[in-house]
Amino acid sequence: MSTILLAGGAGYIGSHTAVELLNAGYDVIVVDNYANSCPESIKRVESITGKSVKLYEADVSDNAAMEKIFAENKIDAVIHFAGLKAVGESVAMPVAYYRNNIDTTLTLLETMSKFDVKNIIFSSSATVYGEANKVPYLETMPRGACTNPYGWTKSMMEQIFEDAAKADEKLSVVLLRYFNPIGAHESGRIGEDPSGIPNNLMPYVTQTAVGKRECLTIFGNDYPTKDGTCTRDYIHVVDLAKGHVKAIDYILANDKVCEIFNLGTGTPYSVTEIVETFERVNNIKVNHIYGARRPGDLAECYANADKALKVLGWKTEKTLEDMCRDSWNWQKNNPEGYGKK
């Protein structure tokens, strides 16, 4: 069976993807520097699947470390999750974001070329659509003017991958544009474990529910949406992980591809709907208040995911209720996440 290298594979999406790849019969190698993850997640991946994962602690931008990993293993494809990902932090530390995120990409491509590995899937983001495109977002739309350095790194890396694929007739690239992943594995053994104050909505909701945070602030209730709060395309992380398996199946079955796929449900939910659904499904109150709008937040963001269904045979299966139930199951069983990182 084929061996898949997950760069940055110990994180939230990487760990869930590792489970689905192992369940689908693939061998998995993970390389991670644990900047925003920890090795405990991979131990739990192994306990969930009953299969082993080869784990390397290294920085994906470290040429020597990556060459050692490629020399020691026959790698059939790479999934590139490695990168800094906090929007607010990227505004405060743009140089660190450009250095880290683009360096990891260049090092991976250089190492792949040296070892003749010709398949890569990149973890991109809906943020590349920018502010000018109209929802729902289609893959054929141009990359837009991003609202923060994190988004610009994703946009630039997409361009790098497309240029590399144009220049190398054997290099296959799939760019997966994520929308808003939430939820956790139904076992409650792995889930989202942000360092410090969460940047994303659901961990803030769950940490408030578990008593770790006093109150959730919903930024803005005067948007031109159904209830005045921002709407987003929330997708269960397990559905997202299964999208990566479909992308691996696709890239390995074809000689040469360079494709973009949206991975989303196509259904926008408002922030208020998320909170209310979470409270109803889990029978728990979440203290929340409404605050001022946050700079750079779009009123609406959701996908047209028809292409992923047509080409990859992928569509989401889990409901908003599942997302809220699984998020709480993870948090209540792991109030401190994986423990101290």
Side-chain angles (χ1 to χ4, degrees):
M1 183 45 87
S2 301
T3 298
I4 315 302
L5 175 69
L6 307 188
Y12 174 45
I13 298 166
S15 58
H16 286 82
T17 301
V19 168
E20 299 306 323
L21 285 167
L22 290 164
N23 286 342
Y26 288 102
D27 290 327
V28 171
I29 300 167
V30 167
V31 53
D32 206 301
N33 67 354
Y34 310 129
N36 44 30
S37 62
C38 67
E40 175 63 23
S41 67
I42 300 302
K43 287 184 194 161
R44 297 192 185 188
V45 166
E46 293 179 321
S47 73
I48 289 166
T49 60
K51 297 179 179 178
S52 63
V53 174
K54 201 166 185 182
L55 183 58
Y56 290 89
E57 182 176 357
D59 193 309
V60 178
S61 63
D62 181 338
N63 279 85
M66 295 309 294
E67 288 193 8
K68 180 176 184 286
I69 293 166
F70 276 75
E72 289 177 1
N73 302 278
K74 187 193 175 300
I75 294 164
D76 297 286
V78 176
I79 306 181
H80 181 14
F81 297 107
L84 300 174
K85 60 177 186 175
V87 168
E89 186 180 69
S90 79
V91 175
M93 302 165 54
V95 174
Y97 268 67
Y98 288 118
R99 168 65 73 190
N100 181 83
N101 292 5
I102 293 170
D103 270 7
T104 56
T105 299
L106 296 174
T107 300
L108 269 177
L109 282 168
E110 287 165 354
T111 312
M112 286 172 62
S113 177
K114 186 167 183 177
F115 288 87
D116 203 34
V117 176
K118 294 299 184 186
N119 301 297
I120 187 160
I121 292 166
F122 175 54
S123 157
S124 191
S125 166
T127 191
V128 303
Y129 288 109
E131 295 180 288
N133 288 308
K134 299 280 182 253
V135 290
Y137 296 135
L138 278 163
E139 294 90 345
T140 49
M141 289 175 174
R143 281 187 284 267
C146 300
T147 55
N148 54 73
Y150 161 76
W152 277 116
T153 68
K154 292 292 187 187
S155 181
M156 290 173 183
M157 289 186 283
E158 282 199 5
Q159 189 66 52
I160 290 167
F161 280 117
E162 288 176 344
D163 290 343
K166 267 188 209 134
D168 183 343
E169 61 185 23
K170 291 183 180 171
L171 179 65
S172 282
V173 169
V174 170
L175 309 175
L176 298 179
R177 290 178 178 164
Y178 306 166
F179 280 71
N180 290 68
I182 59 174
H185 192 266
E186 64 184 8
S187 66
R189 299 278 293 143
I190 58 172
E192 189 168 9
D193 183 22
S195 300
I197 297 170
N199 293 288
N200 299 328
L201 173 64
M202 187 55 85
Y204 217 109
V205 170
T206 60
Q207 288 186 13
T208 304
V210 87
K212 200 171 174 180
R213 308 275 162 206
E214 200 172 307
C215 185
L216 166 74
T217 300
I218 296 173
F219 297 108
N221 61 349
D222 58 349
Y223 285 97
T225 58
K226 47 193 164 186
D227 60 21
T229 61
C230 292
T231 67
R232 295 290 180 267
D233 191 333
Y234 293 96
I235 173 174
H236 198 296
V237 67
V238 172
D239 279 334
L240 183 65
K242 288 178 177 175
H244 290 75
V245 179
K246 291 286 193 184
I248 283 288
D249 294 343
Y250 172 73
I251 206 170
L252 293 178
N254 290 278
D255 287 338
K256 166 75 181 184
V257 297
C258 185
E259 294 284 358
I260 300 168
F261 297 100
N262 286 336
L263 294 185
T265 64
T267 304
Y269 296 105
S270 76
V271 177
T272 297
E273 276 181 292
I274 295 286
V275 174
E276 289 175 349
T277 305
F278 184 92
E279 291 182 325
R280 175 172 54 79
V281 165
N282 298 309
N283 195 26
I284 190 164
K285 279 291 176 206
V286 177
N287 292 330
H288 62 277
I289 57 169
Y290 293 96
R293 291 187 185 190
R294 199 166 47 176
D297 275 350
L298 302 176
E300 296 183 290
C301 172
Y302 60 98
N304 177 316
D306 292 350
K307 183 180 175 186
L309 174 60
K310 187 177 171 189
V311 179
L312 301 179
W314 173 88
K315 68 176 191 301
T316 58
E317 297 167 357
K318 294 183 180 283
T319 63
L320 181 59
E321 285 77 9
D322 294 329
M323 299 179 214
C324 291
R325 190 180 301 110
D326 291 341
S327 294
W328 180 233
N329 187 40
W330 153 254
Q331 185 73 70
K332 73 182 180 188
N333 287 305
N334 303 270
E336 296 299 326
Y338 294 114
K340 291 291 157 245
K341 289 186 278 299

